[in-house]
Amino acid sequence: MMKMKVSGANCRVVFRKHLGGSVLKGTVFNRWENVATHLSLDSDEPTDKLAHLIRNAKAGCFAEGLITQQVPLESHVQVNGKAFHIEGITSR
């Protein structure tokens, strides 16, 4: 671990997306507009040490990793306890 004095820290993640289409017509869709992270630190540490800390924090951020990396999606659907397959939906 890095031995640094940080007297306060706050991180906020904002996800912006658009949901549209019609449930009745089967045209529901979602479109991601952006994801924004806001990190605020209170510290008197040298700027080079703070930059190193922030790089580590961003590299370990689950939200940023999910957005910036291609992640395989596994979809499993069951109805009444049995596998349920729908044409056009990929499951593994």
Side-chain angles (χ1 to χ4, degrees):
M1 286 302 215
M2 299 176 69
K3 300 210 182 228
M4 296 178 63
K5 290 193 184 241
V6 175
S7 58
N10 185 356
C11 183
R12 184 169 56 101
V13 181
V14 178
F15 296 88
R16 288 191 176 91
K17 68 177 189 74
H18 177 76
L19 179 62
S22 167
V23 171
L24 296 177
K25 293 178 182 176
T27 59
V28 173
F29 69 91
N30 74 78
R31 179 180 68 241
W32 287 95
E33 295 178 12
N34 77 322
V35 177
T37 61
H38 304 269
L39 177 62
S40 175
L41 295 175
D42 295 320
S43 177
D44 292 327
E45 294 287 344
T47 56
D48 60 328
K49 288 181 77 174
L50 287 169
H52 186 75
L53 174 68
I54 293 167
R55 277 193 290 275
N56 280 337
K58 291 177 72 58
C61 177
F62 299 121
E64 287 194 19
L66 183 60
I67 299 303
T68 60
Q69 299 172 30
Q70 190 173 21
V71 179
L73 172 64
E74 293 187 16
S75 181
H76 305 276
V77 179
Q78 289 185 335
V79 174
N80 298 325
K82 296 181 181 176
F84 191 78
H85 301 284
I86 303 168
E87 186 177 331
I89 295 181
T90 305
S91 60
R92 293 180 182 192

